[in-house]
């Protein structure tokens, strides 16, 4: 059966999109949501997100799509397709990541799209609502049925906040691991492409580039594995938790401190999601440095502060690279402008691992919205039983598991 929903924008064929839509429908089929529920969903502006967005719009009274700025800037044409989806509204571009750090702007956004007393759900991605969460819950009380968060760096932004409602995290689920490794592969691939197009270099130019990776979680390990697959054998890795580094030497990877990495390397992948490099690392840099991130320069470098303090000065750039200089005259090249290195491109996961974490995010939201759940106030994870359910359904649906 072919869906009548808008599942593609410019792809020649839907491939997994139709199956992804049906799979997510199946995950949601047991849940009945409040009749007038509004869903505020922070999402990447990727074509691969359309099946998930269609299912959300089918379930809710309305979905307010809040595009993540990195992919919105490079895929703005996709917004016309998103606007054509029934029950979908796109938040005004004034409500971006920076604006939503102001709690009053979070409240304004919600008031703009809800009526008095109308229930709403926040599906967050990257902690967009974290700064305003307490103010939102105080202002709207029982109208907010809860919040979810997709990423680890997003969850970190919610910590130490007094949350009077549940915030369900799907950031550290085991079923998210395959998608993290797929994302790592994409990031390395597109870093190589940017280096080729913008500098005439390639990742495995022996003698030109020495590569380091900060962070050895799922994304960092995936980046290391993909780099080694490209023939890069002089590879340095650091993690703030030494336990994460103990398996690296047996895989032929040199472990080191950040300071040693900066001495040895001129290309660094920042894979922590939260402060990989600090002011002192960049203000004392004497040689040119390429930086690729898996999240954004705001998260990994605190770029606005570096600019405001005069540590870095913007020189110029384009959609593939932005150049900054420090006070010693060294060029700091942020690949993809400091955003995740795959953001300048119309990228897809290439397989249905995408639908694993989307199913988890969807299910957490459905449980909160149905108001038939055992979640307490504050941060907690989706249950192991729910994770097993999603994994089994996914294996059955895509790989004939029986």
């Amino acid at each position: 059966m072919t869906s009548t929903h808008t599942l593609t924008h410019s792809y020649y064929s839907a491939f997994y999109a139709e199956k992804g839509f049906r799979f997510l429908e199946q995950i949601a089929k047991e849940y009945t949501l409040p009749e007038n529920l509004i869903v505020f969903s922070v999402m990447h502006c990727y074509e691969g997100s359309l099946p998930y967005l269609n299912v959300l719009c089918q379930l809710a009274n309305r979905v307010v799509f809040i595009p993540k700025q990195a992919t919105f800037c490079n895929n703005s044409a996709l917004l016309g397709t998103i606007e054509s989806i029934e029950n979908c509204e796109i938040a005004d571009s004034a409500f971006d990541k920076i604006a939503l750090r102001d709690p009053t702007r979070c409240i304004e956004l919600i008031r703009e799209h809800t009526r008095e007393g109308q229930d709403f759900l926040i599906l967050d991605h990257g902690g967009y609502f974290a700064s305003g969460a307490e103010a939102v819950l105080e202002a709207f009380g029982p109208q907010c049925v809860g919040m979810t968060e997709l990423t680890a760096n997003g969850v970190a932004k919610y910590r130490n906040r007094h949350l009077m409602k549940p915030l369900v995290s799907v950031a550290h689920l085991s079923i998210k691991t395959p998608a993290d490794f797929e994302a790592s592969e994409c990031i390395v691939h597109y870093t190589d492409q940017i280096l080729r197009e913008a500098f005439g270099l390639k990742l495995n130019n022996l003698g030109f580039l020495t590569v380091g990776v900060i962070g050895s979680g799922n994304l960092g390990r995936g980046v290391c594995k993909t780099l080694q697959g490209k023939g890069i054998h002089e590879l340095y890795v650091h993690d703030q938790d030494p336990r994460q580094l103990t398996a690296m030497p047996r895989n032929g990877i040199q472990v080191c401190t950040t300071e040693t990495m900066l001495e040895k390397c001129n290309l660094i992948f920042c894979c922590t999601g939260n402060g990989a490099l600090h002011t002192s690392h960049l203000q004392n840099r004497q040689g040119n440095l390429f930086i690729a991130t898996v999240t954004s320069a705001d998260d990994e470098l605190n770029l606005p502060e570096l600019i405001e303090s005069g540590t870095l000065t913007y020189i110029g750039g384009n959609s593939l690279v932005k150049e900054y200089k420090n006070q010693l005259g060294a060029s700091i090249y942020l690949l993809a402008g400091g955003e995740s290195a795959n953001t300048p491109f119309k990228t897809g996961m290439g397989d249905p691992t995408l639908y694993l974490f989307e199913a988890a995010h969807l299910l957490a939201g459905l449980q909160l919205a149905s108001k038939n759940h055992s979640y307490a106030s504050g941060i907690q994870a989706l249950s192991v039983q729910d994770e097993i359910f999603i994994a089994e359904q996914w294996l059955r649906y895509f790989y004939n598991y029986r």
Side-chain angles (χ1 to χ4, degrees):
M1 181 171 63
T2 302
S3 171
T4 58
H5 295 79
T6 307
L7 302 181
T8 60
H9 168 68
S10 61
Y11 287 153
Y12 181 75
S13 173
F15 285 104
Y16 287 116
E18 176 66 36
K19 292 200 75 169
F21 174 78
R22 296 299 174 196
F23 165 68
L24 293 171
E25 265 194 328
Q26 184 173 300
I27 294 294
K29 69 181 182 181
E30 301 298 327
Y31 289 86
T32 302
L33 303 188
E35 187 174 338
N36 294 314
L37 181 75
I38 304 296
V39 175
F40 293 89
S41 181
V42 181
M43 295 174 63
H44 273 301
C45 200
Y46 282 148
E47 190 158 349
S49 303
L50 289 174
Y52 172 76
L53 184 56
N54 272 274
V55 172
L56 274 183
C57 291
Q58 187 172 270
L59 292 165
N61 177 266
R62 268 181 298 124
V63 173
V64 180
F65 177 84
I66 305 165
K68 288 178 72 70
Q69 291 303 111
T71 46
F72 162 71
C73 294
N74 292 291
N75 295 293
S76 56
L78 181 59
L79 291 183
T81 299
I82 290 170
E83 279 185 312
S84 72
I85 299 173
E86 189 175 357
N87 299 332
C88 186
E89 298 176 359
I90 298 174
D92 189 287
S93 59
F95 294 105
D96 61 9
K97 176 172 66 174
I98 304 300
L100 292 176
R101 290 176 183 169
D102 179 352
T104 61
R105 298 291 281 156
C106 294
I107 291 170
E108 285 174 24
L109 173 63
I110 292 168
R111 284 198 171 129
E112 187 173 301
H113 292 277
T114 60
R115 300 189 307 274
E116 187 175 350
Q118 188 171 22
D119 285 350
F120 65 87
L121 166 70
I122 296 174
L123 302 179
D124 206 351
H125 182 165
Y128 271 45
F129 283 89
S131 296
E134 291 162 304
V136 165
L137 294 176
E138 185 175 344
F140 295 99
Q143 285 180 246
C144 180
V145 300
M147 299 174 286
T148 67
E149 172 55 53
L150 184 65
T151 65
N153 66 307
V155 172
K157 293 172 185 176
Y158 278 99
R159 294 203 186 282
N160 301 319
R161 299 187 185 278
H162 178 59
L163 301 177
M164 297 181 291
K165 291 282 184 172
L167 185 141
V168 183
S169 165
V170 298
H172 297 99
L173 304 183
S174 62
I175 58 172
K176 196 168 177 280
T177 302
D180 284 342
F181 276 92
E182 284 293 328
S184 302
E185 191 175 82
C186 286
I187 287 162
V188 172
H189 171 77
Y190 285 115
T191 296
D192 193 27
Q193 186 169 338
I194 291 169
L195 288 169
R196 290 169 186 259
E197 291 195 18
F199 298 97
L201 294 170
K202 60 178 183 176
L203 271 172
N204 56 356
N205 270 133
L206 185 64
F208 289 89
L209 294 173
T210 305
V211 184
V213 178
I214 301 178
S216 58
N218 285 346
L219 288 165
R221 291 196 303 273
V223 166
C224 290
K225 181 179 179 181
T226 307
L227 288 168
Q228 287 184 311
K230 285 184 172 288
I232 296 169
H233 301 299
E234 185 181 5
L235 185 57
Y236 295 82
V237 177
H238 171 71
D239 195 284
Q240 64 179 0
D241 183 352
R243 294 174 298 174
Q244 297 291 329
L245 298 173
T246 54
M248 293 296 177
R250 67 180 296 275
N251 292 319
I253 297 172
Q254 176 65 51
V255 297
C256 65
T257 63
T258 303
E259 289 70 27
T260 298
M261 185 182 295
L262 286 162
E263 291 174 10
K264 300 285 187 181
C265 301
N266 56 0
L267 168 60
I268 293 178
F269 286 85
C270 296
C271 305
T272 69
N274 187 23
L277 293 171
H278 305 301
T279 299
S280 60
H281 296 138
L282 297 176
Q283 69 183 5
N284 298 321
R285 177 77 185 183
Q286 296 187 13
N288 296 343
L289 178 65
F290 300 94
I291 296 176
T293 82
V294 301
T295 53
S296 73
D298 288 2
D299 292 331
E300 296 287 9
L301 312 177
N302 198 355
L303 183 61
E305 184 178 295
L306 293 174
I307 295 169
E308 186 177 344
S309 67
T311 302
L312 294 182
T313 301
Y314 179 64
I315 302 301
N318 53 38
S319 64
L320 297 182
V321 61
K322 288 184 179 177
E323 180 186 3
Y324 296 81
K325 282 189 182 291
N326 66 11
Q327 293 178 358
L328 299 178
S331 288
I332 310 297
Y333 298 106
L334 301 186
L335 305 185
E339 301 295 337
S340 179
N342 55 336
T343 55
F345 305 94
K346 185 187 77 175
T347 185
M349 293 299 292
D351 70 21
T353 55
L354 167 72
Y355 303 118
L356 280 166
F357 67 78
E358 287 187 340
H361 208 196
L362 176 65
L363 183 59
L366 291 171
Q367 291 172 341
L368 290 171
S370 70
K371 302 183 181 179
N372 182 24
H373 61 78
S374 57
Y375 293 117
S377 299
I379 301 170
Q380 56 237 274
L382 194 70
S383 74
V384 172
Q385 291 78 11
D386 287 328
E387 195 176 356
I388 291 170
F389 165 73
I390 291 168
E392 185 172 353
Q393 294 300 312
W394 184 83
L395 290 168
R396 289 183 187 279
Y397 202 83
F398 289 101
Y399 295 104
N400 204 29
Y401 172 74
R402 54 172 61 96

